[in-house]
Amino acid sequence: MRTAFDAHMHIIDPRFPLIENQGYLPDPFTCRNYLDTVRELQLIGGAVVSGSFQGFDQTYLTDALQSLGSGFVGVTQLPHDTTDEELLRLHSYGVRAVRFNVRRGGSEDLSQLDYVARRVHEIAGWHTELYIDSVNLPGIAPVLAALPAVSVDHLGLSQSGFHHLLDLIDKGVRVKATGFGRVELDVPQALRAIAAVNPDALMFGTDLPSTRARRPYHASDIELIYDTLGEELADKVLYRNASDWYLK
């Protein structure tokens, strides 16, 4: 049984508001569904990530964090004018990051990235996450490189912009080793390249329930990480890096 901190997964509970996104509504995937799916892992925690179909709703997230318990944190989407009091309230539930969903929408506009990222870090110590194709990174690279704490989802998605991602990793940006069934790149090659720049940068996540991915998460994804990186470095990717990032 592998020890893991799941740095990227979604909870989809129909008791709470859902928004159709680009004609898509996800099937339910509750906390119980999630825990049943990952029962082969020795979980020390994880990050519940807000999706495009959840918009700015916080009710599902606070409920999920209470249900999942110790070690689990939230990654939310917020409008730029969210009050200090609301940020601190969400922090008390375990929210630790704000997300900009450039790929699918449903989050604050990217023009607010610098302001929101700096504000949430100053008030609550949160970092900022982006779901973005790496080909689109050059336009915001100077902003990202100057921010205090940033991560990029799903290995940056594409090979064509991967070198832009590596440049940002060299400047301190973290990357989620997630969504292997949705990326357009050679996963082992990408893992090795990122680890060579910064072995602390990679953070494993299941991406469950893998909404809209060509192939959902499979346990073999973890073995791919171990086969590619070796035991010591793979342990960092599976749980040490992410637990340090989210729970410090």
Side-chain angles (χ1 to χ4, degrees):
M1 180 177 287
R2 298 289 192 185
T3 299
F5 184 101
D6 187 351
H8 194 101
M9 54 84 165
H10 304 283
I11 297 298
I12 304 160
D13 192 326
R15 294 179 300 154
F16 302 102
L18 291 170
I19 303 164
E20 187 173 293
N21 178 265
Q22 301 171 356
Y24 175 81
L25 269 180
D27 293 329
F29 190 73
T30 64
C31 293
R32 185 71 266 158
N33 295 147
Y34 170 73
L35 293 174
D36 286 345
T37 305
V38 295
R39 59 184 177 272
E40 80 281 359
L41 295 176
Q42 184 177 326
L43 282 178
I44 61 171
V48 182
V49 178
S50 292
S52 59
F53 40 80
Q54 286 156 328
F56 296 140
D57 175 59
Q58 309 300 325
T59 55
Y60 98 90
L61 184 56
T62 55
D63 180 84
L65 293 175
Q66 287 181 301
S67 297
L68 292 168
S70 177
F72 283 85
V73 301
V75 178
T76 192
Q77 297 167 160
L78 292 171
H80 73 276
D81 56 356
T82 301
T83 65
D84 293 0
E85 291 76 17
E86 176 66 356
L87 290 176
L88 293 173
R89 184 186 75 86
L90 293 172
H91 187 83
S92 73
Y93 277 97
V95 177
R96 293 296 180 266
V98 65
R99 190 186 200 209
F100 283 79
N101 193 329
V102 183
R103 177 79 163 183
R104 299 290 187 190
S107 63
E108 180 55 271
D109 189 81
L110 200 56
S111 64
Q112 298 289 341
L113 172 63
D114 187 71
Y115 170 74
V116 171
R118 292 184 182 279
R119 183 162 170 258
V120 300
H121 188 268
E122 179 181 351
I123 292 170
W126 294 2
H127 65 267
T128 296
E129 305 192 357
L130 290 96
Y131 183 17
I132 185 170
D133 192 311
S134 57
V135 297
N136 297 316
L137 287 173
I140 58 171
V143 173
L144 293 180
L147 290 177
V150 178
S151 68
V152 173
D153 295 345
H154 309 320
L155 299 172
L157 292 173
S158 70
Q159 184 63 48
S160 54
F162 188 67
H163 60 290
H164 300 307
L165 182 63
L166 289 179
D167 288 343
L168 286 167
I169 293 165
D170 193 43
K171 296 177 172 65
V173 169
R174 306 294 182 98
V175 181
K176 292 190 179 183
T178 56
F180 295 172
R182 67 172 75 247
V183 302
E184 300 288 347
L185 43 71
D186 184 304
V187 172
Q189 184 179 55
L191 294 174
R192 285 191 291 266
I194 293 169
V197 175
N198 181 4
D200 296 329
L202 279 167
M203 302 180 291
F204 162 78
T206 62
D207 188 35
L208 284 167
S210 306
T211 56
R212 289 187 271 202
R214 296 185 309 278
R215 174 185 67 77
Y217 160 79
H218 189 271
S220 61
D221 293 341
I222 292 178
E223 297 314 310
L224 182 151
I225 293 172
Y226 276 88
D227 291 343
T228 301
L229 299 178
E231 196 81 16
E232 183 176 354
L233 184 50
D235 281 348
K236 286 174 67 69
V237 175
L238 258 289
Y239 65 94
R240 291 185 183 136
N241 289 345
S243 61
D244 288 347
W245 183 245
Y246 283 106
L247 302 178
K248 62 185 177 183

